Amino acid sequence: MNTQQLINLLKLGSFEEQNVRVAVFDEEARFLYVSTTLFGFAEDYIGMSVYDYYKGHLSESEVEKVRNAFAKALRGEVGREEIVLTNRLNRDSITWDVEFNPFVDDEGNKRVLSQIKPREVNLTTSSTNFFIREMVEQSSDVFTVFDKDYNFVYVSKVDATWNDRPLVGQNIKDVVSGTNLKKFYQRAELAKKSVGEIITDTVFIEIDEDEESVFECSMEYHDFNQLGHFFLDRTADVTDKFRRNREIDSQKATIDKMSKWTALGQMAANIAHEVNNPLAIIELQVQAIERRGESITSEQLLDKIRSIGEQKNRIANIVSSLNIYSQDDRSMREMTSLSSIIHDSIALFKTGLVDESLRIVFSNDADSDLVTINSSEVIQVLINLFNNSHDAIAGLKEQWIEINLLDDRDHVIVEVLDSGQGIEEEVAQKIFNRFYTTKSKEKGTGLGLNISREIIMDHGGTLTFDSDSEYTTFMITLPKSELL
């Protein structure tokens, strides 16, 4: 039997199913054949020295074992060794049994037939590639391998083509263009800088004017030693998931808006009262001017005009706070002073306040309070905290809400505390859960704190409950902004 006949015979074997890797070497220990590998790299081993193959996997002492076993086979003996190999992907150590068998073909050429098998069969051993390949190729996701120049060298979908040509051998720029090609290169650059780490991105592909598909692409970069450097890429169709998430976000926005308008509805009567009071004063001043006619002195006239102006400003402040609070554009953010937002929130909260015994104190100890926010959303959060405090301390002999504005190097901090004696630990663990409330159905939905936390997190901040404080205390942190 000549060497090629031996190789053809070996190709008929299902070695991967037996968890065995089989190879044929020439006298110089160069690969003439190796059984199939995961990504179809078998042809790239041909001509490579077995010692180069093990470079990076084995210690020098382990490589020496391989040399000794191979030398035995060349002398006509069976060379057997136990070696410890380090997995090329996850660096796990695996113990293998290696056997080198002598073989002389019909033409008198010395050959060595080897087999390598792990002691323990698990998914970290590279000879389980058959089973992994089965999972890969049966998966709905597409697994792709690119070389360092971004050429396709493997695609898990056997019939994968582009422009009626097989994908394997084509370059990524022949298949992808525009924004998605730019994203691919960015993903690849990040993967190269973080070898072994998974870099994930989302890609949008327009099917037609009204429809687009969404894919999640995950890439890793690996050094396969003598084989070279390769990018391993997984592409998953997440269109349905994306649409569901978009629907959930839309529903959240609707619930958020309903919560805001419900609060406005609850304040409407008191707001009307707050506006009617200054209007009544304006009306009285106008009537007084009309009654006195020409007999009114210039000093008296100026005094009444000042009074009218003050009441007009009072109404304007109420309307301004309402305008900010009722904005629906969640994407609109601008740099602003957080202390001014707190003042607007207190003013708006007071318009809905019937209980005049409640004392509200605001102290500003921040050196810098500039933040980039959606003012309407942050006012919504603050008013929700004020309302919760007001409901919690109703009936207490001492009723107060204290707002403290602080800052550290990177954040602006708002403390909202009240005269309540804290929250029980069991309740505190649930207060941010959606639909959890300790209030009656008429007073609470269990959405306020949940929505408030999501708003603050969306701004890159945090909303937390301070369980160590003597009083009921919530803390908001927001990233600082700096003037350019």
Side-chain angles (χ1 to χ4, degrees):
M1 182 184 295
N2 63 35
T3 301
Q4 190 55 52
Q5 288 174 326
L6 172 64
I7 291 173
N8 291 341
L9 186 62
L10 291 173
K11 285 180 178 180
L12 300 175
S14 300
F15 301 109
E16 297 291 351
E17 294 182 34
Q18 302 169 47
N19 214 44
V20 174
R21 173 69 54 79
V22 174
V24 178
F25 301 94
D26 64 14
E27 289 183 78
E28 303 299 322
R30 292 186 296 250
F31 281 96
L32 298 175
Y33 166 78
V34 62
S35 54
T36 308
T37 60
L38 174 58
F39 292 118
F41 289 147
E43 65 277 7
D44 295 322
Y45 288 104
I46 306 306
M48 181 190 296
S49 165
V50 68
Y51 311 122
D52 286 337
Y53 169 71
Y54 281 127
K55 182 182 176 183
H57 296 299
L58 302 179
S59 64
E60 285 300 323
S61 60
E62 298 301 294
V63 173
E64 192 60 31
K65 288 182 184 179
V66 174
R67 290 183 189 278
N68 292 336
F70 195 90
K72 271 189 177 182
L74 289 179
R75 293 196 300 268
E77 306 172 45
V78 176
R80 294 188 180 90
E81 287 289 349
E82 175 188 299
I83 62 172
V84 177
L85 180 145
T86 303
N87 186 281
R88 64 191 176 189
L89 294 181
N90 58 24
R91 316 309 294 175
D92 284 346
S93 294
I94 309 163
T95 301
W96 299 71
D97 289 318
V98 181
E99 183 176 296
F100 291 94
N101 296 277
F103 173 77
V104 179
D105 68 11
D106 291 348
E107 298 166 356
N109 299 311
K110 282 187 177 182
R111 304 298 185 216
V112 173
L113 176 63
S114 80
Q115 70 169 16
I116 178 171
K117 184 172 184 177
R119 285 280 177 90
E120 295 181 5
V121 179
N122 55 60
L123 287 179
T124 66
T125 57
S126 60
S127 63
T128 54
N129 286 340
F130 172 80
F131 304 106
I132 299 174
R133 187 172 62 251
E134 284 293 297
M135 288 188 290
V136 163
E137 295 185 353
Q138 290 178 21
S139 169
S140 59
D141 299 343
V142 178
F143 294 82
T144 312
V145 179
F146 298 92
D147 65 18
K148 63 181 179 60
D149 297 317
Y150 311 125
N151 298 308
F152 288 86
V153 296
Y154 169 83
V155 183
S156 61
K157 302 302 179 188
V158 178
D159 58 348
T161 59
W162 186 260
N163 289 338
D164 297 325
R165 290 172 51 206
L167 272 174
V168 173
Q170 295 198 59
N171 192 278
I172 187 65
K173 69 177 184 293
D174 300 325
V175 177
V176 181
S177 61
T179 302
N180 289 333
L181 180 60
K182 184 179 179 181
K183 281 189 171 186
F184 176 91
Y185 288 141
Q186 289 172 342
R187 205 160 57 245
E189 284 303 312
L190 285 173
K192 274 200 276 191
K193 292 175 183 176
S194 310
V195 177
E197 291 186 21
I198 298 174
I199 307 300
T200 302
D201 199 1
T202 303
V203 172
F204 298 84
I205 297 179
E206 188 174 313
I207 305 301
D208 53 43
E209 290 184 4
D210 302 318
E211 187 180 355
E212 65 179 2
S213 290
V214 186
F215 297 91
E216 185 179 81
C217 300
S218 303
M219 180 180 285
E220 292 179 79
Y221 182 71
H222 285 287
D223 178 0
F224 287 89
N225 302 314
Q226 296 300 309
L227 285 177
H229 296 82
F230 292 89
F231 297 92
L232 313 183
D233 193 85
R234 168 185 164 271
T235 301
D237 188 339
V238 293
T239 306
D240 291 340
K241 177 183 174 183
F242 180 81
R243 287 172 181 165
R244 284 196 303 271
N245 288 342
R246 188 161 54 187
E247 181 63 27
I248 290 169
D249 288 341
S250 175
Q251 291 172 0
K252 281 183 179 179
T254 302
I255 292 171
D256 186 0
K257 191 182 295 185
M258 287 171 60
S259 175
K260 182 189 293 185
W261 289 107
T262 299
L264 271 177
Q266 291 169 346
M267 291 190 290
N270 289 320
I271 290 171
H273 176 74
E274 285 294 311
V275 172
N276 281 333
N277 279 344
L279 282 175
I281 293 172
I282 291 172
E283 185 178 5
L284 288 173
Q285 297 291 18
V286 171
Q287 287 174 357
I289 293 170
E290 288 175 342
R291 277 198 310 270
R292 294 193 182 188
E294 295 181 0
S295 65
I296 191 169
T297 66
S298 58
E299 187 178 339
Q300 289 172 331
L301 182 60
L302 284 172
D303 184 57
K304 294 192 180 300
I305 290 173
R306 276 192 218 99
S307 175
I308 290 171
E310 288 172 1
Q311 301 309 314
K312 183 269 294 181
N313 290 338
R314 185 176 166 188
I315 294 171
N317 287 337
I318 293 171
V319 172
S320 175
S321 297
L322 281 171
N323 280 337
I324 295 172
Y325 180 68
S326 59
Q327 287 172 358
D328 285 334
D329 187 356
R330 298 177 61 130
S331 64
M332 187 179 71
R333 295 183 182 181
E334 57 186 4
M335 190 185 298
T336 188
S337 163
L338 193 53
S339 61
S340 68
I341 296 300
I342 294 172
H343 280 297
D344 284 340
S345 302
I346 293 172
L348 189 55
F349 172 66
K350 282 183 174 179
T351 62
L353 199 60
V354 177
D355 187 359
E356 296 182 1
S357 64
L358 178 64
R359 183 166 54 93
I360 301 176
V361 180
F362 171 44
S363 65
N364 183 357
D365 295 317
D367 293 324
S368 171
D369 70 341
L370 289 178
V371 288
T372 301
I373 57 171
N374 181 302
S375 299
S376 170
E377 291 188 322
V378 175
I379 289 176
Q380 179 182 349
V381 172
L382 289 168
I383 287 179
N384 181 64
L385 292 177
F386 298 162
N387 280 329
N388 286 349
S389 291
H390 179 249
D391 292 342
I393 62 179
L396 294 183
K397 185 176 179 180
E398 189 178 0
Q399 297 182 31
W400 52 261
I401 298 175
E402 184 177 311
I403 303 107
N404 299 319
L405 185 61
L406 313 163
D407 70 330
D408 58 23
R409 180 179 168 183
D410 301 313
H411 299 90
V412 183
I413 304 158
V414 183
E415 290 181 342
V416 179
L417 54 155
D418 59 54
S419 51
Q421 300 304 303
I423 301 175
E424 293 177 8
E425 184 179 348
E426 184 180 349
V427 175
Q429 292 174 351
K430 303 176 185 176
I431 53 176
F432 290 108
N433 293 349
R434 188 167 288 246
F435 302 116
Y436 179 79
T437 181
T438 58
K439 300 178 183 179
S440 64
K441 289 183 179 179
E442 294 75 21
K443 285 218 164 189
T445 61
L447 292 170
L449 282 175
N450 179 273
I451 290 173
S452 295
R453 185 172 64 170
E454 287 187 2
I455 288 172
I456 297 300
M457 288 175 66
D458 192 46
H459 282 76
T462 60
L463 171 59
T464 57
F465 170 69
D466 184 359
S467 57
D468 296 325
S469 176
E470 179 182 356
Y471 301 102
T472 305
T473 305
F474 285 86
M475 294 182 64
I476 297 170
T477 66
L478 288 166
K480 272 185 179 178
S481 294
E482 299 292 341
L483 289 171
L484 297 178

